[in-house]
Amino acid sequence: MTGPSDDRHSFRDVGPVQSLRTPSFEFAEVTRHADLAEHDRRLDELARRAHTAPVADRLLELSTMASDTLQEMSLVIGDDGEDLLEDGRANAHAGEYGTALELLTEYLRGRPGHQEARYLRAFCMYRLEGQDRVEALRTLRPLRDEPMEEGLREQVRELRRELRRLLTPLEVGAYARTARSDPRSALERAEAFLELAPEEGSLSCLVALGQARAGALDQALETATRGAAEADVDREQVSALARRLLLPYLRPAAAPAVAAFKARNPRLARAELARMEPRWRRSAVIEDFDAYLALCVTGWTGASPPAPRLPDDRADDVYSLIAEPDGQSAAALMQAGLAEAAEQVLARVLPLVPGFRWLNFLYAACLLRLGRDPERAAACAEIAGRDATITQAGELLAAIRGWQEATVINPAVDEYVAAMKSVSGGVSADSLARLRTRLTVLQRGLPALRAAALSEQGGQVVRELEKAIGQRLSEVGDAMVVADLYDRYDAAMAPVQGGLTDTAAADRLARSLDDLAARIKDKRRAAGKGTGQEQFEKLAELVSMRRAELDRVRAGLLVSDLVKRFNELVKPQRGSEYSDMPMTVRDFLAPPPPDPYTLRTKLSGIREEARALRRNHKKTLAARETELLDELIATISKVLG
């Protein structure tokens, strides 16, 4: 009969818990302003605005008051051609715009500078629609700057505003359709239209950005500066762009002041600004820098200077004046794969410009690449996200959030995997206890993991880990019960590793196995319909198999015992063990033979036991044992007659 079993608990397969994969991030931001990204972003913005621009539900009408005034103005010119002008005016008021246009065009051949006629001609082209509206705007462009009677000036201004409203979206749309395929032609057309409508600030921005992208920085600065001066729409945007385009020209002039500021000497920096050439000193950026230095003189008490008391875009220009060259240097180092060197550059200058959004973007990207200080990286990325021109800021923050999650969640996942591997080669009560302790520690840390999960992916990994830990702990509880039962099984089977020699030992083992079977039944019932039922079933089957085997062995032992008892009754009464002794001694030591009655009684008893064994153990008796019993019964019956 076999002894202890090596069939131990094995954990069932559950869905694997995967480590959190961090989003990838490829650093691409090198330049800050007036680059391809901002040009395309502004172009898309204007194209959307043009696409959604409301359609005019009415057209302008000639003002009666304006007509009377214009008649008075025209009468002082003289009689030459006045009939053409009067007829043109009358037809325009009557809505006969085509006829009026012909008359006015003829009139202007003789008097090309006549303001009333030029205005009326442009108005007729406006009402006739089509490409003539661009010509109308071109006709009105000189009138915008000429001195004239206030009533006429207001009419010119109103008509130009209406023409700009109608034509600017069309021009932006045309630029958007061709800017990527034929940027030069698209830019030339936009520049020509901007000459007709310099009040359009957004268009000035778009043209200046296109010029800067083409490498014409001087022309871009001139366009933005002019737009800032003349725009009556989106003036703040074009003014901000003009300031930024001016920065490359200001940096050499402001270099001594910037160096003094970086040396933490704002008084000296202000003195250096005072020595700048007046043409640079009067620029808005330098004036803002000087005001900031004045604040630093009294307010710089810590490691970093105070924040500028300026709007975000103007503060960003001051920061750019101070530190953009450092940022460009760091960006070049990062693109060359020298993130460690880039980090040193940024760590040195960022405390001086802590609100500089672009520099915060660079530092966050650098820390992400180095795998260092995720909390600081996230804070910098959040600051960078406040600048809409940094197109990668959102992507960077998402990557850092994923990195933050991974630094907290992945070690827990790794510990779970390691804990389960520790019992992959088999289990014992001690190994299960250690496993339960490790899983319990992980379970207690789940609230912190849930708090660290900042994305849907992170939350999913934590939920999977939580489910797996709960399942494993439940299974470990069952496994520890099963392991204890296996230990009891091994203890019962250990004495019979060399085999059973008598029925007493078999009876003791039978009692142990029966007791163990009852315990398995109780524990299995207590466990309920959980994941450990399979292990209870396996052990119950093993005990049942051993119990059946024991019944066969015990039956064999009983047969052997009956045969042995029979042989002892019928062997020679003066046994061979005394055959080498003298007769007198042998007769003295050998037991006396039983009397015939006792012999018959014992033989009858052996026969009845054999018959009972033969009858009651049919399923457990081997064929040879059955044959022996039959021979024994027959022999005894023959002896007894």
Side-chain angles (χ1 to χ4, degrees):
M1 185 168 182
T2 55
S5 172
D6 292 330
D7 187 12
R8 296 293 183 178
H9 180 91
S10 60
F11 289 94
R12 72 185 185 93
D13 291 336
V14 297
V17 180
Q18 301 290 342
S19 296
L20 185 62
R21 297 179 62 184
T22 58
S24 60
F25 177 78
E26 292 296 329
F27 174 73
E29 289 278 353
V30 179
T31 57
R32 287 190 59 236
H33 301 294
D35 61 359
L36 179 64
E38 184 174 0
H39 171 272
D40 291 350
R41 182 185 64 80
R42 186 62 60 86
L43 177 58
D44 291 341
E45 175 188 333
L46 291 178
R48 285 194 301 271
R49 189 189 302 178
H51 182 70
T52 58
V55 178
D57 57 358
R58 67 178 182 85
L59 294 173
L60 294 179
E61 301 288 347
L62 282 174
S63 169
T64 302
M65 181 182 296
S67 177
D68 294 342
T69 302
L70 294 174
Q71 289 179 20
E72 294 174 2
M73 292 179 62
S74 65
L75 291 176
V76 303
I77 297 175
D79 294 332
D80 295 342
E82 282 301 315
D83 55 340
L84 291 173
L85 179 60
E86 291 179 3
D87 289 345
R89 183 187 302 122
N91 278 279
H93 278 278
E96 299 294 333
Y97 300 113
T99 302
L101 181 61
E102 293 178 1
L103 294 169
L104 292 167
T105 301
E106 180 66 24
Y107 176 76
L108 285 169
R109 288 194 182 99
R111 297 188 179 270
H114 194 278
Q115 292 177 332
E116 175 200 1
R118 289 151 66 194
Y119 166 74
L120 289 172
R121 181 172 180 270
F123 189 89
C124 290
M125 288 187 285
Y126 154 69
R127 291 302 300 256
L128 289 172
E129 304 184 13
Q131 280 298 110
D132 285 345
R133 285 182 169 178
V134 177
E135 182 61 29
L137 189 61
R138 184 177 291 108
T139 299
L140 293 174
R141 177 64 181 86
L143 290 173
R144 171 181 179 269
D145 301 324
E146 293 177 9
M148 64 183 66
E149 192 273 334
E150 188 59 33
L152 178 59
R153 179 178 300 283
E154 181 57 34
Q155 294 300 308
V156 169
R157 184 182 297 117
E158 182 181 13
L159 181 54
R160 290 192 77 254
R161 186 183 302 115
E162 177 66 8
L163 287 167
R164 284 164 42 208
R165 186 184 71 81
L166 294 173
L167 296 175
T168 300
L170 300 177
E171 291 298 320
V172 170
Y175 183 84
R177 287 190 296 273
T178 58
R180 292 177 175 85
S181 60
D182 189 1
R184 182 174 180 179
S185 297
L187 187 59
E188 288 176 353
R189 174 171 174 168
E191 289 171 341
F193 183 76
L194 184 61
E195 286 297 320
L196 303 181
E199 302 95 334
E200 294 293 330
S202 292
L203 190 61
S204 293
C205 281
L206 189 61
V207 170
L209 288 168
Q211 292 166 338
R213 186 176 68 164
L217 294 179
D218 291 346
Q219 189 179 3
L221 176 60
E222 181 181 351
T223 298
T225 303
R226 179 186 175 190
E230 298 190 18
D232 61 13
V233 178
D234 299 323
R235 174 175 288 182
E236 291 185 0
Q237 293 181 14
V238 70
S239 296
L241 178 59
R243 291 195 305 271
R244 294 198 297 269
L245 290 169
L246 183 62
L247 284 172
Y249 300 90
L250 292 177
R251 285 195 187 95
V258 170
F261 174 81
K262 289 182 176 179
R264 301 174 183 270
N265 191 340
R267 291 183 185 277
L268 177 59
R270 294 197 73 193
E272 294 291 353
L273 287 184
R275 287 192 282 270
M276 288 180 65
E277 292 183 36
R279 60 173 178 150
W280 303 127
R281 182 66 182 80
R282 289 191 295 269
S283 68
V285 176
I286 296 301
E287 289 180 354
D288 286 343
F289 185 31
D290 185 53
Y292 180 48
L293 291 173
L295 175 64
C296 291
V297 168
T298 57
W300 192 344
T301 58
S304 294
R309 295 173 181 173
L310 296 166
D312 286 345
D313 58 338
R314 289 166 58 188
D316 208 52
D317 291 337
V318 171
Y319 282 145
S320 180
L321 180 69
I322 296 168
E324 184 163 341
D326 301 283
Q328 295 288 1
S329 174
L333 289 170
M334 288 182 66
Q335 290 197 320
L338 302 174
E340 191 70 48
E343 191 277 335
Q344 294 175 9
V345 172
L346 295 169
R348 183 171 58 252
V349 70
L350 190 58
L352 298 174
V353 285
F356 192 8
R357 294 171 291 188
W358 184 63
L359 215 65
N360 275 278
F361 169 81
L362 293 176
Y363 196 53
C366 190
L367 291 176
L368 175 63
R369 182 169 297 181
L370 293 171
R372 188 180 300 167
D373 199 351
E375 298 299 327
R376 177 74 187 281
C380 290
E382 288 176 351
I383 293 174
R386 300 169 193 163
D387 188 342
T389 67
I390 303 177
T391 57
Q392 284 192 291
E395 180 187 355
L396 175 61
L397 183 58
I400 291 173
R401 292 300 190 204
W403 173 35
Q404 284 182 295
E405 290 179 313
T407 57
V408 177
I409 295 173
N410 283 356
V413 173
D414 293 342
E415 167 61 12
Y416 168 78
V417 172
M420 296 310 302
K421 282 185 178 179
S422 70
V423 294
S424 60
V427 298
S428 65
D430 289 341
S431 66
L432 286 170
R434 289 192 295 271
L435 176 61
R436 182 169 63 178
T437 298
R438 294 175 74 172
L439 292 177
T440 301
V441 171
L442 284 173
Q443 191 178 53
R444 290 171 182 166
L446 286 173
L449 297 185
R450 284 192 290 268
L454 305 173
S455 68
E456 177 57 31
Q457 182 190 8
Q460 180 64 28
V461 170
V462 173
R463 288 190 293 272
E464 290 175 357
L465 179 62
E466 183 175 8
K467 180 180 178 181
I469 290 173
Q471 290 177 339
R472 292 310 193 191
L473 280 173
S474 176
E475 194 174 356
V476 165
D478 292 338
M480 294 186 72
V481 173
V482 172
D484 177 67
L485 295 174
Y486 266 104
D487 289 341
R488 290 177 180 272
Y489 170 82
D490 287 343
M493 296 301 297
V496 299
Q497 290 188 58
L500 287 168
T501 57
D502 56 59
T503 56
D507 291 340
R508 288 193 297 273
L509 180 57
R511 288 192 295 271
S512 297
L513 292 177
D514 290 342
D515 177 69
L516 181 57
R519 286 178 178 271
I520 293 172
K521 184 177 180 180
D522 291 341
K523 297 297 184 182
R524 184 177 177 182
R525 186 184 301 112
K529 297 181 180 180
T531 58
Q533 286 296 311
E534 180 183 351
Q535 301 304 321
F536 285 114
E537 290 173 4
K538 288 171 62 177
L539 181 56
E541 290 174 2
L542 178 62
V543 171
S544 177
M545 181 178 67
R546 293 291 185 261
R547 188 65 176 84
E549 184 180 355
L550 176 62
D551 287 341
R552 291 192 296 272
V553 172
R554 185 174 181 279
L557 289 173
L558 290 173
V559 172
S560 297
D561 183 64
L562 289 176
V563 172
K564 179 181 179 181
R565 286 163 57 194
F566 171 78
N567 288 336
E568 287 178 349
L569 283 174
V570 300
K571 71 180 179 179
Q573 295 306 306
R574 302 300 179 181
S576 60
E577 66 271 28
Y578 306 106
S579 60
D580 58 341
M581 297 182 182
M583 181 63 68
T584 56
V585 175
R586 183 174 60 200
D587 292 342
F588 177 77
L589 293 176
D595 61 85
Y597 176 79
T598 301
L599 179 61
R600 289 180 64 84
T601 302
K602 289 183 177 181
L603 287 174
S604 296
I606 291 173
R607 183 175 63 180
E608 291 307 315
E609 289 182 33
R611 287 173 174 169
L613 184 60
R614 177 73 170 78
R615 183 174 57 252
N616 297 330
H617 293 78
K618 289 181 179 181
K619 295 181 180 180
T620 57
L621 286 171
R624 175 56 183 161
E625 292 165 348
T626 302
E627 184 180 345
L628 283 174
L629 282 178
D630 290 342
E631 291 178 1
L632 179 62
I633 293 170
T635 301
I636 294 175
S637 297
K638 185 177 180 180
V639 170
L640 294 178

